[in-house]
Amino acid sequence: MKVMFIYPNYKGMNMLPPAVGLLSANLKREGHEISLFDTTYYDSVSIDRELDQADSDESKSDRLMARPYNKPKEMQLRYTNVFDDFRSNVESFKPDMLALSSTEDMFHLGLQLLKTVEDLKILTIAGGVFPTFAPELVLSFPYFDIVCKGEGENALVELCRRVEDKKPYDDIKNLWVKKENKEIIKNPTGMVNMDENPLIDMSLFEEARFYRPMGGKVYRMFPVETHRGCPYKCAFCNSPSQVKMYKDEEGKSYLRRKSFDNIRKELMFYKNEMKAEYLYFWADTFFSWKQSEFEEFAEIYQEIKLPFWCQTRPETITEKRLQLLKEIGCARISFGLEHGNEKFRKKYLYRNMPNSVITNALNLVSSFEIPYSVNNIIGFPFETRELVFDTIRLNKTFKANDRNAYPFTPFTGTPLRKTCEELGFVKKTDIVRSMVASGSILDMPQFRSSEVNALCKTFNMFVNFSEDRWPEIEKAEADTPEGEKIFEELKEEFIETFWKEDSSFESSASAEVSPYQ
């Protein structure tokens, strides 16, 4: 079989897609021929040219979140037409199957790409976060024949085997198959044994995909898998739905860990064969380890001696864990704070922790001199402007090296998506676009989308400037020539004050288009 993966992605969103590399490795092990069309470095596929910070220090984000970086030669952009190139690649490779891997915010771009080759009538499968939680909606589009619901390693291998042998494939676990009469065959889910997977197929990716910004610099950086699933139940995330899906259909816990032998093998591969300069762990919550497990991991990582980034929650932090992280080379941590009002956070976001735990944990991280970033979300259902300032005030109680503030986006498969549908803010068939590109899509009576977007834009000003400057910052929120003038003046002051080389305030550039999807 010849399989072409399609990875729709905005320019400059540098997170390499490890799932695509895993699928490719599994298929190549079976003797199939694989190619990839990835839109990451197409200039025409841009969220907004104001958000492209790779070209010079002069192009700084209005959101004041990501510090600009100088782009190395390996990351140069393509200026040809992405749709013409896709058509040309398909015609040249002549795939037997197209495989789209997509999050919800990238799905529109995926549809545009597939439309250009619709006349070629190629068997097409969709997988990833969005198809998993909206399989019927995805199959309602004429471009798709199959959806992979959940993990795809075993399902895709078996699908290729059946297609190659010209055998029926409508009974394969994890696949929903659209018949000629539009009937959909819905198969149950199956779970993958992570330790049976080969190493990620890095030959699939162009050299540019191995470079990623972190802290205003660019490193040769690779993703490491330790866990799948998350033990927490945040209402804005789809992980709880994933856990429930596998519990209901498979009767097993989706949260699991790769064996230490395989973790070590993967680490050594990146260090010795891929010449990594930096690693990042893409577990939802890095400290899903038991303490004894983390100590064993730390012992393994002593051999690696590469800086790394991970993400976790404030309440998972202990002094003992931080000491070990420091010893083995942790260079940066990302924390999800999301909201600063305890009652709101507990009632609507299902995050039950007091603010004191957050402040104490993050100040403890600072005491170990490990740089960290904090993610915040603005514009939840039922939120008000006043509640946002609880988030701002909580951010003032610790000194993060970076803070992000994004408008809430109701992704399919999250508990809050259902809430938004019930409130009439979105329809079940709505496919949401990138929150960075479009801003808030919830125009709530008590909190207009324009207010949400303005507060995302000025969030770091409110946090970092003293409260006596807040009336001035409020004027900078206005979408008027005067408001823009004030914003630009404050932005220059902000950059001069907080982005100096000797300042500890710098962006990790770690947040992707959807940090909580």
Side-chain angles (χ1 to χ4, degrees):
M1 287 282 287
K2 297 178 75 173
V3 179
M4 176 182 282
F5 285 98
I6 307 164
Y7 188 68
N9 193 28
Y10 280 131
K11 176 180 67 175
M13 295 300 158
N14 301 95
M15 179 80 80
L16 183 148
V20 174
L22 273 176
L23 294 169
S24 176
N26 276 277
L27 291 176
K28 283 186 175 179
R29 189 165 59 178
E30 298 291 314
H32 303 296
E33 188 177 347
I34 311 300
S35 72
L36 169 66
F37 189 83
D38 181 353
T39 69
T40 301
Y41 285 106
Y42 276 91
D43 183 66
S44 57
V45 187
S46 178
I47 299 175
D48 182 333
R49 292 189 183 276
E50 287 299 314
L51 293 175
D52 175 25
Q53 300 147 34
D55 293 326
S56 73
D57 284 352
E58 296 302 314
S59 54
K60 298 178 176 68
S61 168
D62 278 351
R63 294 177 187 274
L64 290 173
M65 291 190 291
R67 187 173 185 168
Y69 58 90
N70 292 319
K71 188 166 53 181
K73 65 180 187 304
E74 291 87 356
M75 296 172 66
Q76 295 308 306
L77 297 174
R78 290 191 178 93
Y79 293 96
T80 51
N81 184 282
V82 66
F83 302 108
D84 291 344
D85 283 3
F86 176 61
R87 173 82 188 201
S88 177
N89 273 251
V90 171
E91 290 178 338
S92 174
F93 185 65
K94 296 181 172 58
D96 301 299
M97 183 187 300
L98 296 172
L100 176 79
S101 178
S102 180
T103 53
E104 184 169 1
D105 49 352
M106 293 293 105
F107 192 71
H108 296 277
L109 177 56
L111 291 177
Q112 288 179 280
L113 291 167
L114 288 170
K115 187 176 181 179
T116 67
V117 295
E118 183 182 10
D119 61 300
L120 300 179
K121 305 298 181 185
I122 302 168
L123 182 69
T124 302
I125 181 171
V129 176
F130 178 58
T132 289
F133 293 107
E136 289 184 275
L137 177 57
V138 171
L139 287 172
S140 70
F141 291 93
Y143 317 119
F144 300 104
D145 306 290
I146 309 166
V147 157
C148 180
K149 187 169 178 276
E151 297 174 324
E153 293 100 310
N154 296 341
L156 200 54
V157 165
E158 182 61 22
L159 174 63
C160 286
R161 185 180 296 130
R162 301 273 192 99
V163 174
E164 187 176 28
D165 294 341
K166 296 181 170 52
K167 292 182 178 179
Y169 50 78
D170 57 3
D171 62 343
I172 299 173
K173 274 191 172 185
N174 289 53
L175 298 188
W176 285 31
V177 181
K178 183 167 63 179
K179 309 293 282 185
E180 287 187 8
N181 64 1
K182 308 301 182 186
E183 177 192 2
I184 297 175
I185 306 300
K186 305 175 182 179
N187 293 298
T189 56
M191 194 176 292
V192 169
N193 182 339
M194 295 168 66
D195 290 317
E196 292 179 356
N197 275 332
L199 292 167
I200 291 176
D201 174 20
M202 286 297 164
S203 68
L204 185 68
F205 302 102
E206 60 184 319
E207 185 75 8
R209 297 302 262 117
F210 304 150
Y211 293 85
R212 189 161 183 255
M214 186 68 74
K217 299 178 182 178
V218 176
Y219 299 89
R220 189 173 171 87
M221 191 181 302
F222 296 91
V224 182
E225 182 177 39
T226 55
H227 299 79
R228 290 191 187 180
C230 180
Y232 298 99
K233 304 192 183 301
C234 302
F236 50 82
C237 180
N238 55 47
S239 285
S241 299
Q242 205 164 34
V243 169
K244 184 178 186 303
M245 179 179 76
Y246 275 93
K247 184 69 174 176
D248 292 347
E249 298 185 30
E250 184 79 354
K252 297 179 182 178
S253 171
Y254 184 73
L255 177 62
R256 63 220 196 265
R257 172 180 58 78
K258 187 184 291 185
S259 72
F260 285 115
D261 285 344
N262 278 287
I263 290 173
R264 184 181 183 279
K265 183 179 178 181
E266 187 174 348
L267 290 168
M268 297 304 290
F269 168 72
Y270 289 133
K271 179 180 179 179
N272 297 330
E273 297 188 40
M274 298 306 299
K275 308 303 180 187
E277 299 171 338
Y278 206 118
L279 298 173
Y280 59 94
F281 292 90
W282 51 291
D284 288 344
T285 304
F286 185 66
F287 280 126
S288 295
W289 314 92
K290 298 174 183 176
Q291 182 60 29
S292 60
E293 290 178 329
F294 179 61
E295 290 170 2
E296 189 170 350
F297 163 79
E299 187 175 341
I300 292 170
Y301 205 84
Q302 293 283 7
E303 300 178 62
I304 307 304
K305 295 184 171 62
L306 287 174
F308 67 90
W309 168 87
C310 60
Q311 57 188 359
T312 192
R313 290 167 56 117
E315 69 266 45
T316 67
I317 289 298
T318 65
E319 189 168 348
K320 189 174 183 179
R321 286 176 168 178
L322 287 174
Q323 183 62 51
L324 275 175
L325 281 176
K326 183 76 173 178
E327 289 174 4
I328 63 176
C330 178
R332 189 173 290 270
I333 310 174
S334 286
F335 292 95
L337 185 152
E338 320 311 356
H339 204 278
N341 182 283
E342 290 181 9
K343 292 181 179 179
F344 186 92
R345 197 167 56 233
K346 179 180 179 180
K347 181 175 181 179
Y348 296 113
L349 309 187
Y350 308 155
R351 291 172 68 94
N352 187 15
M353 71 184 97
N355 284 349
S356 59
V357 168
I358 296 172
T359 298
N360 292 340
L362 297 184
N363 284 326
L364 185 61
V365 178
S366 295
S367 72
F368 278 84
E369 299 183 339
I370 300 175
Y372 66 94
S373 59
V374 175
N375 294 320
N376 302 273
I377 302 174
I378 298 175
F380 289 110
F382 310 111
E383 192 176 17
T384 62
R385 178 183 175 89
E386 290 70 30
L387 284 169
V388 174
F389 279 86
D390 288 345
T391 304
I392 289 168
R393 288 188 174 91
L394 180 57
N395 272 263
K396 281 180 168 291
T397 65
F398 48 81
K399 191 175 182 182
N401 298 81
D402 172 43
R403 292 178 178 85
N404 300 308
Y406 290 102
F408 167 71
T409 302
F411 288 118
T412 301
T414 64
L416 276 178
R417 168 61 180 246
K418 292 182 180 178
T419 300
C420 289
E421 290 173 5
E422 291 166 359
L423 293 171
F425 295 134
V426 293
K427 299 190 292 293
K428 192 172 183 178
T429 55
D430 285 344
I431 302 171
V432 300
R433 295 181 182 273
S434 163
M435 57 189 169
V436 177
S438 60
S440 173
I441 65 171
L442 304 189
D443 202 24
M444 300 175 286
Q446 84 287 356
F447 200 10
R448 312 308 305 194
S449 60
S450 57
E451 292 180 274
V452 173
N453 298 334
L455 281 169
C456 287
K457 175 179 169 179
T458 55
F459 183 83
N460 271 317
M461 290 179 179
F462 280 113
V463 172
N464 286 279
F465 286 130
S466 60
E467 288 198 31
D468 61 2
R469 303 287 301 278
W470 283 9
E472 186 181 359
I473 301 170
E474 287 178 9
K475 293 178 182 177
E477 294 180 56
D479 187 18
T480 62
E482 179 62 21
E484 185 61 27
K485 179 176 179 292
I486 296 171
F487 177 81
E488 290 300 323
E489 291 171 353
L490 287 171
K491 183 171 78 168
E492 288 306 310
E493 181 185 349
F494 182 96
I495 291 167
E496 175 65 24
T497 305
F498 300 109
W499 278 359
K500 288 180 179 178
E501 288 302 314
D502 60 350
S503 172
S504 64
F505 185 91
E506 59 179 353
S507 170
S508 67
S510 61
E512 296 295 329
V513 170
S514 38
Y516 53 92
Q517 184 176 25

